[in-house]
Amino acid sequence: MRHDHLPPSSTTAAAIPSLYIILTTTFFTLLLILTLTTAPRSPSFHTHQNDQNDQNTTTALSPPPPPSLAYLISGSINNSGPMISLFLSIYHPRNQYLLQLDRSANQTERDALEITVQSLLGASKNVRVIGMEDYVFSSGPSALSSTLQGASVLLRLSDHWDWFINLSASDYPLVTQDDLLHILSYLPRDVNFVNHTSYIGWRESWKLKGIIVDSALFLADDSETFYATQKRHLPDAFRPFTGSSVAILILKFIEFCIMGFNNLPRTLLMYLSNTALSTSVYFPTVLCNSRQFKGTLINHSLHYASPNLLNSSNFDELIKTGAAFASPFALDDPVLDRIDQELLQRNPGKPVPGGWCLGESSEDQCGVCGETDVLKPSPGAKRLEKLLVEVLSSEATQSHQCVDK
Ligand SMILES: *[C@@H]1O[C@H](CO)[C@@H](O)[C@H](O)[C@H]1NC(C)=O
Ligand SMILES: *[C@@H]1O[C@H](CO)[C@@H](O)[C@H](O)[C@H]1NC(C)=O
Ligand SMILES: *[C@@H]1O[C@H](CO)[C@@H](O)[C@H](O)[C@H]1NC(C)=O
Ligand SMILES: *[C@@H]1O[C@H](CO)[C@@H](O)[C@H](O)[C@H]1NC(C)=O
Ligand SMILES: *[C@@H]1O[C@H](CO)[C@@H](O)[C@H](O)[C@H]1NC(C)=O
Ligand SMILES: *[C@@H]1O[C@H](CO)[C@@H](O)[C@H](O)[C@H]1NC(C)=O
Ligand SMILES: *[C@@H]1O[C@H](CO)[C@@H](O)[C@H](O)[C@H]1NC(C)=O
């Protein structure tokens, strides 16, 4: 029972096989129109109800309304500086931001972070700094717990966002938010970007079978991890998948994980609460084992994860990836300044200028906030578009969704 004519926004199981074909076709068509018109998305192009009448010759070419993103930025002791740079480099007034410092940072550092963030952009309503937090063991259950907590806070702050993105102080963007929002606006709002595989290598298998006690979950002043000598079986009630820790996930899926509409997220959370490999397993496994979501995956997180610390010698390679984000960068590496200057046009201590910035002075263009649905994509949008077209065309010819190897 396949309905090939269902719109791409449908997530019903029957529509899954055709999702990629529709997706790819729509995306190609829209980008073609876009390439032909080339002009940046100017104020006259946006779809505002009042403007619809007097813009009736251009509405056919009007870009779809931009989505909005919810970012969780996590950091540890002495990370406030890099977290602020990351925050400014991905700031856009349409988005929501939650910055969380774990308990290794003291209250002074947390307060300073909050004050700095608020002073940089006035009393922005779309930015929060989480006060109390726990210690976090980087890939273990406490990190997963802190991510889910952050995601649920973001849901409570607003449910007017489309995608959730989890970043750390060692991540950095390679495109502007205008680029990312622009490209995402051409995609259905129900696809999840997760690099995932069912191949569990010996290293991962060893970690999944091992039992740990992540004391950061329950001890206030200690973050030691204990390893048990016993091993357990790999699960067979569900199929484990692993993926990258950065993913771009839709609001409905985050709700599915947090609100307990289904038993799977909870069961998996319990299973993962004593393994050292919780974070890279949780989202891909929940997605691939749920009927509702397994057809929504795009096997790429639009993120470039390097095996080594990235520095200036990687700059050209980074541009070539076309990715929206990359990691890990050494905190304060000079390559970040180069990314700010050459890719983001960002001045120190200021957000990345975008279509919403109406300030006159070149120093502080974003001091005056204009309409937030006006985007001015930069060459980064072209790079991201190229990457997505590659990813989508390989998905269309051969499905890479949750394939069991
Ligand atoms: C819409 O466009 C037509 C020509 O295509 C023009 O005659 C008409 O006046 C326009 N309407 C408005 C409200 O601008
Ligand atoms: C954090 O910074 C302080 C002061 O600069 C320094 O003394 C401390 O060693 C740093 N802590 C870590 C974990 O890097
Ligand atoms: C808090 O942490 C900062 C940075 O690590 C350090 O400079 C400061 O002395 C600490 N303050 C207290 C009260 O421990
Ligand atoms: C995707 O994930 C696999 C393992 O899960 C990893 O080996 C690969 O480098 C990742 N690719 C990207 C582009 O992040
Ligand atoms: C979210 O990001 C933090 C910081 O990088 C990381 O420790 C955690 O593993 C990530 N969470 C998930 C579920 O990937
Ligand atoms: C960049 O890192 C590589 C190792 O990943 C190192 O060999 C190289 O010397 C570094 N380059 C600079 C400019 O720091
Ligand atoms: C997803 O892509 C990675 C390479 O980035 C690949 O190793 C993996 O097998 C793919 N996953 C599926 C389910 O095809």
Side-chain angles (χ1 to χ4, degrees):
M1 238 213 4
R2 293 184 182 177
H3 301 273
D4 285 321
H5 304 297
L6 282 178
S9 60
S10 168
T11 45
T12 57
I16 289 165
S18 53
L19 172 71
Y20 281 109
I21 297 153
I22 298 169
L23 226 158
T24 317
T25 325
T26 352
F27 193 62
F28 276 119
T29 318
L30 289 167
L31 285 170
L32 187 68
I33 294 173
L34 203 84
T35 317
L36 294 177
T37 58
T38 55
R41 300 166 59 130
S42 64
S44 62
F45 270 74
H46 68 260
T47 47
H48 219 260
Q49 269 167 355
N50 307 341
D51 298 352
Q52 219 130 44
N53 290 334
D54 40 86
Q55 293 298 332
N56 70 0
T57 48
T58 52
T59 38
L61 290 177
S62 289
S68 123
L69 310 175
Y71 281 100
L72 173 64
I73 305 176
S74 314
S76 196
I77 181 166
N78 294 353
N79 283 172
S80 329
M83 283 169 80
I84 289 167
S85 307
L86 172 62
F87 165 68
L88 289 171
S89 72
I90 57 175
Y91 184 77
H92 192 286
R94 293 188 75 80
N95 299 341
Q96 295 291 326
Y97 299 84
L98 184 67
L99 281 69
Q100 63 179 6
L101 268 175
D102 74 21
R103 200 151 45 193
S104 66
N106 60 29
Q107 194 57 39
T108 321
E109 188 174 5
R110 208 168 287 118
D111 291 345
L113 178 64
E114 181 149 24
I115 291 165
T116 314
V117 164
Q118 294 298 348
S119 71
L120 283 168
L121 292 157
S124 301
K125 293 221 168 49
N126 59 340
V127 188
R128 297 292 161 95
V129 176
I130 272 203
M132 178 208 71
E133 246 325 297
D134 305 321
Y135 278 115
V136 166
F137 162 53
S138 69
S139 60
S142 49
L144 176 57
S145 153
S146 127
T147 306
L148 293 175
Q149 189 199 344
S152 60
V153 172
L154 280 164
L155 272 181
R156 286 190 59 165
L157 291 177
S158 157
D159 57 2
H160 293 297
W161 45 266
D162 300 285
W163 279 285
F164 167 78
I165 306 179
N166 177 35
L167 299 175
S168 76
S170 63
D171 291 298
Y172 215 71
L174 303 175
V175 301
T176 67
Q177 287 304 288
D178 278 22
D179 296 335
L180 182 58
L181 293 173
H182 170 70
I183 294 295
L184 289 177
S185 67
Y186 287 91
L187 292 170
R189 304 284 159 97
D190 58 4
V191 293
N192 290 288
F193 298 85
V194 189
N195 173 9
H196 65 287
T197 175
S198 69
Y199 174 72
I200 309 283
W202 68 267
R203 228 183 272 269
E204 287 85 14
S205 162
W206 190 82
K207 281 192 181 164
L208 278 177
K209 287 179 184 165
I211 300 171
I212 67 156
V213 176
D214 182 356
S215 59
L217 281 172
F218 55 87
L219 291 184
D221 301 319
D222 194 17
S223 61
E224 235 181 307
T225 304
F226 304 99
Y227 296 83
T229 48
Q230 290 94 333
K231 298 274 172 197
R232 60 178 174 187
H233 293 291
L234 283 180
D236 63 4
F238 51 85
R239 184 86 173 96
F241 284 78
T242 63
S244 58
S245 76
V246 175
I248 304 184
L249 303 167
I250 56 172
L251 178 125
K252 269 212 177 68
F253 174 66
I254 295 296
E255 280 179 344
F256 179 82
C257 290
I258 287 165
M259 312 277 224
F261 299 144
N262 183 293
N263 203 29
L264 173 70
R266 210 170 289 245
T267 311
L268 187 62
L269 198 57
M270 286 181 202
Y271 172 76
L272 293 175
S273 68
N274 50 18
T275 82
L277 198 70
S278 301
T279 52
S280 56
V281 172
Y282 184 76
F283 287 132
T285 305
V286 175
L287 278 164
C288 284
N289 286 274
S290 76
R291 259 172 20 121
Q292 190 182 349
F293 293 105
K294 71 177 173 199
T296 65
L297 259 82
I298 290 179
N299 185 17
H300 203 291
S301 46
L302 308 184
H303 175 262
Y304 173 69
S306 162
N308 307 310
L309 274 184
L310 294 161
N311 61 31
S312 307
S313 55
N314 306 108
F315 187 76
D316 295 332
E317 165 199 342
L318 283 176
I319 295 183
K320 273 207 201 92
T321 66
F325 304 95
S327 72
F329 290 97
L331 309 177
D332 298 329
D333 193 281
V335 72
L336 297 176
D337 297 329
R338 195 161 166 209
I339 292 174
D340 279 340
Q341 281 156 25
E342 296 180 31
L343 304 184
L344 308 176
Q345 322 296 330
R346 185 173 87 84
N347 289 324
K350 302 283 175 215
V352 176
W356 59 279
C357 300
L358 297 183
E360 299 278 302
S361 84
S362 62
E363 277 293 286
D364 192 14
Q365 287 180 55
C366 305
V368 183
C369 182
E371 296 210 32
T372 65
D373 54 358
V374 179
L375 303 177
K376 277 195 196 137
S378 77
K382 277 264 159 278
R383 297 195 301 271
L384 187 58
E385 173 195 325
K386 187 161 166 277
L387 170 68
L388 252 179
V389 167
E390 274 166 28
V391 171
L392 291 178
S393 34
S394 74
E395 300 277 5
T397 48
Q398 185 193 352
S399 176
H400 292 278
Q401 291 177 316
C402 306
V403 179
D404 212 337
K405 294 222 170 94

